[in-house]
């Protein structure tokens, strides 16, 4: 490796400060409820516990764990507490070898077996199977196996959206969407300290914890995080194009590093989104799931996010036919109106844009599937308590 290559590699890493190590330790020690479906009890799990148990069981079964990392918004929160994003999911990455289907099955079986350890005392385990635990506590199972990506994801359920996500990665070509979510923190040294040290951590005595930015330059990515800057590269490589995360960042007060470059990238974001979610039903399911998972407790921001998405899609979509584009814009507007209705926040306005689906027999290519309803507000008299019940139909 040349000196230039070494320097480039070094720029990816940084040693965490004492304050950052404390935040990391706090996150790993926080008890997170894993909610069971039906009559299954809620499990109380500390991230450090489940990491240690899963890692030990994998190694018992002959699976070498290269390292374990904290990823995504939780890692960003550790590095800079006031990100403006907070964090919901707790993403934990296990570096393992997934050579064949048997390795994928082994990883899944080990995680399900570990859930037995967290069942409350007094629960009879004789008739509980791994399949039963999967149905009770696993929200999502994902397996990706192709030429460039080999990984699996097991997401444990949490009713507030704070899911514990265990990701087992052999190879993953694209590991970030934007620079501000490109951070990974290696947990090995801190977990080893937990097991081996009888002396509690202090500013003068704590393990060296390394952070990495898979964006490529830790310092630059950290500046983006602190200054709330939106930056990425090759959004066409991201599933969904990073489109929803981009709108999310805009709503949270982040600004593009370059307006001109980002306008150009918006086209790639939209194109990739509609490649991955080409059907209107898929689009609706994706939008509703994103709003539910990323705006829990911030429902007032959902409308703003949808309107931002409407603007970006309207401005930058070049890959759809006219009727497909109008259909997607109508869907976004319908969801936005639904959000307002749920919040009892539909405004009183004189012009309301109303969208509807035309009947199947409407074949005229000039037919427009929306109209502007001109609403005339009633004239209130300051001297009388009576008012018009009916609006004029002119």
């Amino acid at each position: 490796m040349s000196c230039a290559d070494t320097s480039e590699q070094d720029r990816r890493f940084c040693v965490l400060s004492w304050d950052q190590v404390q935040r990391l330790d706090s996150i790993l020690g926080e008890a997170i409820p894993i909610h069971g479906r039906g009559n299954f009890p809620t499990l109380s799990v500390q991230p450090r516990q489940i990491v240690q148990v899963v890692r030990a069981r994998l190694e018992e079964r002959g699976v070498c764990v290269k390292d374990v990392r904290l990823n995504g918004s939780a890692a960003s929160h550790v590095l800079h507490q006031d990100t403006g994003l907070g964090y919901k999911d707790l993403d934990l990455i296990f570096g393992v070898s997934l050579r064949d289907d048997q390795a994928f099955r082994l990883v899944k079986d080990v995680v399900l077996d570990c859930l037995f350890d967290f069942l409350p005392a007094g629960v009879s385990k004789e008739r509980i199977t791994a399949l039963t635990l999967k149905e009770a506590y696993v929200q999502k199972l994902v397996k990706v196996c192709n030429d460039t990506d080999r990984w699996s994801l097991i997401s444990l359920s949490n009713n507030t959206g704070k899911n514990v996500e265990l990701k087992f990665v052999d190879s993953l070509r694209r590991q970030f969407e934007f620079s501000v979510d490109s951070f990974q923190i290696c947990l090995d040294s801190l977990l080893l300290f937990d097991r081996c040290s009888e002396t509690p951590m202090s500013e003068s005595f704590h393990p060296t914890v390394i952070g990495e930015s898979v964006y490529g330059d830790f310092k630059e990515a950290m500046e983006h995080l602190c200054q709330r800057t939106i930056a990425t590269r090759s959004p066409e490589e991201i599933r969904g194009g990073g489109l929803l995360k981009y709108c999310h960042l805009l709503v949270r007060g982040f600004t593009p590093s370059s307006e001109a470059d980002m306008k150009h990238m918006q086209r790639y974001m939209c194109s990739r989104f509609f490649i991955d979610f080409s059907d209107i039903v898929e689009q609706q399911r994706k939008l509703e799931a994103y709003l539910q998972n990323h705006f829990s407790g911030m429902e007032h921001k959902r409308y703003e996010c949808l309107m931002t998405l409407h603007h970006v899609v309207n401005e930058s979509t070049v890959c759809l036919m006219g009727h497909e584009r109008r259909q997607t814009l109508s869907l976004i507007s319908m969801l936005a109106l639904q959000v307002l209705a749920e919040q009892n926040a539909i405004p009183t306005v004189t012009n309301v844009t109303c969208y509807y689906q035309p009947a199947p027999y409407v074949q005229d290519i000039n037919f427009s599937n929306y109209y502007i309803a001109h609403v005339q507000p009633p004239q209130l008299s300051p001297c009388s308590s009576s008012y018009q019940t009916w609006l004029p139909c002119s």
Side-chain angles (χ1 to χ4, degrees):
M1 182 181 292
S2 68
C3 294
D5 291 337
T6 303
S7 177
E8 185 175 343
Q9 280 292 104
D10 289 345
R11 289 204 301 269
R12 298 170 63 94
F13 300 96
C14 184
V15 176
L16 271 61
S17 69
W18 166 236
D19 287 341
Q20 292 167 336
V21 172
Q22 284 182 300
R23 280 198 294 273
L24 175 62
D25 184 63
S26 176
I27 286 177
L28 295 180
E30 179 186 4
I32 298 176
I34 308 299
H35 297 110
R37 297 182 181 91
N39 295 325
F40 278 83
T42 297
L43 312 182
S44 181
V45 175
Q46 288 185 6
R48 61 171 17 106
Q49 290 177 330
I50 197 164
V51 166
Q52 289 166 342
V53 171
V54 169
R55 183 172 196 161
R57 294 284 172 82
L58 285 172
E59 291 176 345
E60 285 173 9
R61 301 286 293 272
V63 178
C64 178
V65 180
K66 177 185 174 184
D67 56 22
V68 183
R69 297 176 173 224
L70 181 67
N71 182 53
S73 58
S76 298
H77 176 79
V78 167
L79 296 172
H80 182 59
Q81 193 169 13
D82 187 24
T83 62
L85 291 173
Y87 71 95
K88 283 290 183 182
D89 292 343
L90 204 68
D91 302 325
L92 297 163
I93 298 178
F94 294 75
V96 295
S97 174
L98 298 170
R99 295 183 301 275
D100 49 33
D101 286 341
Q102 184 178 356
F104 279 95
R105 286 195 299 272
L106 177 59
V107 163
K108 182 184 73 171
D109 292 344
V110 164
V111 173
L112 295 177
D113 183 58
C114 289
L115 293 179
F116 278 102
D117 292 7
F118 296 99
L119 287 169
V123 174
S124 177
K125 303 177 183 179
E126 285 76 15
R127 300 177 64 182
I128 299 178
T129 65
L131 179 61
T132 307
L133 289 176
K134 179 175 80 71
E135 295 300 324
Y137 294 109
V138 175
Q139 181 184 31
K140 183 167 56 177
L141 273 173
V142 178
K143 173 187 173 183
V144 176
C145 183
N146 56 43
D147 292 340
T148 58
D149 297 333
R150 299 180 68 86
W151 57 270
S152 68
L153 171 71
I154 301 175
S155 178
L156 304 179
S157 300
N158 179 281
N159 294 343
T160 64
K162 196 170 187 177
N163 300 326
V164 176
E165 302 206 329
L166 308 177
K167 197 174 210 175
F168 300 88
V169 176
D170 184 316
S171 61
L172 183 57
R173 180 178 60 174
R174 179 76 181 216
Q175 300 189 57
F176 71 98
E177 290 184 285
F178 296 88
S179 61
V180 295
D181 61 19
S182 69
F183 298 104
Q184 297 181 359
I185 299 173
C186 187
L187 305 180
D188 295 351
S189 60
L190 187 58
L191 297 176
L192 181 63
F193 187 92
D194 286 345
R195 294 199 305 270
C196 299
S197 177
E198 297 180 357
T199 306
M201 287 196 305
S202 65
E203 186 170 3
S204 59
F205 183 70
H206 64 269
T208 299
V209 180
I210 303 295
E212 178 183 2
S213 169
V214 291
Y215 176 72
D217 188 319
F218 191 98
K219 182 179 179 182
E220 181 182 358
M222 195 66 186
E223 288 175 355
H224 292 166
L225 183 64
C226 296
Q227 297 170 10
R228 301 193 180 188
T229 300
I230 302 174
T232 189
R233 62 173 69 96
S234 304
E236 66 275 9
E237 296 178 355
I238 308 168
R239 176 164 172 79
L243 177 62
L244 301 185
K245 181 62 176 286
Y246 173 62
C247 295
H248 186 182
L249 291 174
L250 289 173
V251 167
R252 292 296 192 96
F254 286 67
T255 56
S257 56
S258 166
E259 289 283 352
D261 289 348
M262 200 54 67
K263 292 291 184 185
H264 179 67
M265 287 189 182
Q266 282 179 187
R267 293 190 173 192
Y268 289 99
M269 293 179 193
C270 291
S271 295
R272 179 60 196 262
F273 181 84
F274 292 116
I275 289 171
D276 292 332
F277 306 100
S278 56
D279 181 77
I280 193 69
V281 176
E282 291 179 328
Q283 293 169 19
Q284 180 170 351
R285 189 182 299 118
K286 178 64 177 177
L287 291 176
E288 289 176 341
Y290 192 89
L291 293 174
Q292 178 65 35
N293 293 335
H294 293 83
F295 289 90
S296 179
M298 294 185 56
E299 286 77 8
H300 62 287
K301 288 285 187 181
R302 292 180 180 179
Y303 176 80
E304 189 179 348
C305 183
L306 287 166
M307 287 294 94
T308 301
L309 176 63
H310 189 284
H311 173 75
V312 173
V313 170
N314 188 43
E315 181 182 58
S316 301
T317 299
V318 295
C319 63
L320 298 181
M321 296 180 67
H323 72 280
E324 293 174 323
R325 184 168 167 274
R326 289 192 298 271
Q327 190 179 45
T328 297
L329 291 173
S330 297
L331 168 65
I332 298 170
S333 297
M334 180 271 290
L335 291 175
L337 189 62
Q338 181 178 311
V339 165
L340 289 181
E342 290 171 352
Q343 299 172 11
N344 293 320
I346 296 180
T348 302
V349 293
T350 56
N351 291 285
V352 180
T353 304
C354 302
Y355 295 84
Y356 63 91
Q357 255 336 95
Y361 52 76
V362 177
Q363 299 295 330
D364 184 358
I365 61 172
N366 295 316
F367 182 84
S368 174
N369 68 340
Y370 67 92
Y371 66 94
I372 305 295
H374 298 280
V375 182
Q376 299 181 20
Q379 302 296 319
L380 297 180
S381 169
C383 302
S384 172
S385 60
S386 64
Y387 53 89
Q388 285 182 282
T389 304
W390 298 92
L391 298 181
C393 58
S394 56

